[in-house]
Amino acid sequence: MEILNGKELSEKIKNDIKLEVEQLKAEHKIVPHLAAVLVGDNPASQSYVRNKVRSCEKVGFESTLIRKDESITEEELLDIIQDLNDNDGVDGFIVQLPLPAHIDEQKVTLAISPEKDVDGFHPINFGRMTQGLDCFLPATPYGILKMLEEYQIKTEGQNCVVVGRSNIVGTPMSILLSRKGYPGNATVTLTHSRTRDLSSILKTADIIIAAIGIPNFISSDMTKEGAVIVDVGINRVEDASRKHGYRLVGDVDFDSYMDKSGYITPVPGGVGPMTVTALLLNTLKSAKLKI
Ligand code: BQF
């Protein structure tokens, strides 16, 4: 298997972003500014937000982290979102998901101004995406497209099987791969928990996007020789030998692909870093609209 190295590619793209930010600063006095709202103390969410803030620092963006206790009311959170919408100094912002059960995520997503929705979750951006209009693409699918492009993976006419139908990964990914152009023009099958005989569908796939959230769910005996395997899963599994008592594994049994041909993304270091970098690209795009 050839490795699709998301970590390495994300460093390369971040370096390009950094150079562009230096130019924006020098020529237009513009410094892109990303804000993040983190509610509660979910360890995974804290780590994701840390990655985002650290990446901002690396490329020369300004960043603001707004931390709130999980007892925050929906109304208070919507007020914070309104302030960020109105703040001309902020180019884009994200509200880290998941939110506590008493807050309606849909309501929160709808409250974010589509012009600052650098996560690309607002239905305006989703709708614009489906029609091929200019928009903020959702970060994970955007990062995957960048990776397929960099490694010149053929998508036209290829059978692509997406596993998982979430609003933020599976569903948009299926739309993006079936759109006209590159990377697109694929024949896409969107599968999910109610799909019958997933194994035989997977056997037809030239490209697999695994976004199910079940550790090691897909193994090499279920897929064909030479397939491109994109593993979106980031699952914490207990591992007493590790510093924090857990390690990250994907939705794909990576080790089972040792002796196969094709391409595979590792976890960690595959899609994850590309997701964060895609968020930076969206924020840069938003900032450049000020010119
Ligand atoms: C890596 C995310 C599920 C639900 C909400 C690098 C990240 C992860 C892994 C990261 C993710 C996953 C993020 C690695 C952001 C990706 O080295 O493999 C970076 O920070 N991500 C998120 O913000 O919300 C999620 C997954």
Side-chain angles (χ1 to χ4, degrees):
M1 277 298 214
E2 308 261 355
I3 302 292
L4 299 171
N5 191 333
K7 174 110 182 94
E8 186 184 80
L9 174 56
S10 73
E11 295 302 329
K12 192 171 118 183
I13 295 172
K14 279 193 267 192
N15 204 52
D16 293 343
I17 296 174
K18 186 177 178 205
L19 296 175
E20 203 170 333
V21 170
E22 281 163 10
Q23 195 186 344
L24 272 178
K25 238 181 250 188
E27 291 177 10
H28 303 280
K29 306 217 179 311
I30 289 175
V31 180
H33 183 180
L34 174 71
V37 184
L38 174 60
V39 178
D41 52 10
N42 178 314
S45 293
Q46 293 188 59
S47 135
Y48 297 150
V49 168
R50 250 196 326 271
N51 288 340
K52 291 168 190 179
V53 169
R54 218 186 308 126
S55 294
C56 281
E57 285 163 3
K58 209 161 190 174
V59 299
F61 284 9
E62 197 178 327
S63 67
T64 301
L65 172 56
I66 300 171
R67 288 200 68 155
K68 290 288 159 187
D69 192 85
E70 70 170 0
S71 64
I72 188 174
T73 65
E74 187 178 271
E75 202 182 358
E76 285 169 324
L77 181 57
L78 292 172
D79 282 342
I80 291 169
I81 291 170
Q82 202 48 58
D83 288 345
L84 290 167
N85 285 341
D86 296 339
N87 185 341
D88 292 335
V90 171
D91 296 295
F93 66 97
I94 62 146
V95 178
Q96 186 66 42
L97 302 181
L99 290 168
H102 66 276
I103 298 177
D104 183 348
E105 285 184 359
Q106 189 109 36
K107 221 170 179 178
V108 166
T109 301
L110 286 169
I112 298 172
S113 162
E115 287 82 44
K116 293 194 178 187
D117 170 38
V118 286
D119 255 341
F121 293 168
H122 193 287
I124 290 276
N125 280 310
F126 192 93
R128 293 184 67 90
M129 171 195 72
T130 64
Q131 302 204 7
L133 298 171
D134 187 55
C135 64
F136 294 119
L137 293 178
T140 299
Y142 188 17
I144 294 171
L145 293 185
K146 281 268 164 205
M147 190 149 48
L148 296 176
E149 234 179 321
E150 168 73 14
Y151 284 90
Q152 295 174 44
I153 302 294
K154 180 188 169 190
T155 56
E156 177 158 329
Q158 298 294 83
N159 288 335
C160 179
V161 175
V162 178
V163 191
R165 55 178 155 183
S166 73
N167 286 333
I168 61 178
V169 183
T171 298
M173 204 61 226
S174 70
I175 291 166
L176 290 163
L177 286 168
S178 46
R179 287 199 318 193
K180 282 189 179 158
Y182 180 78
N185 288 335
T187 304
V188 178
T189 306
L190 181 56
T191 68
H192 46 75
S193 55
R194 307 295 176 92
T195 295
R196 266 187 287 138
D197 200 5
L198 178 63
S199 283
S200 56
I201 296 172
L202 283 176
K203 277 281 183 204
T204 69
D206 303 303
I207 301 172
I208 293 168
I209 312 290
I212 353 162
I214 303 174
N216 299 324
F217 184 74
I218 293 171
S219 54
S220 67
D221 54 306
M222 300 162 78
T223 65
K224 77 176 177 191
E225 197 68 35
V228 176
I229 317 283
V230 176
D231 188 354
V232 183
I234 306 206
N235 308 292
R236 288 184 173 202
V237 300
E238 253 181 78
D239 185 341
S241 73
R242 297 297 179 98
K243 184 169 55 172
H244 297 285
Y246 70 87
R247 68 192 150 87
L248 296 181
V249 304
D251 293 347
V252 176
D253 181 0
F254 186 87
D255 294 340
S256 74
Y257 281 91
M258 278 305 199
D259 304 320
K260 284 238 168 181
S261 61
Y263 292 85
I264 191 166
T265 64
V267 177
V271 173
M274 291 303 296
T275 296
V276 176
T277 299
L279 176 68
L280 300 178
L281 285 171
N282 279 341
T283 307
L284 177 63
K285 177 189 171 85
S286 181
K288 280 160 80 177
L289 292 172
K290 279 187 174 153
I291 299 171

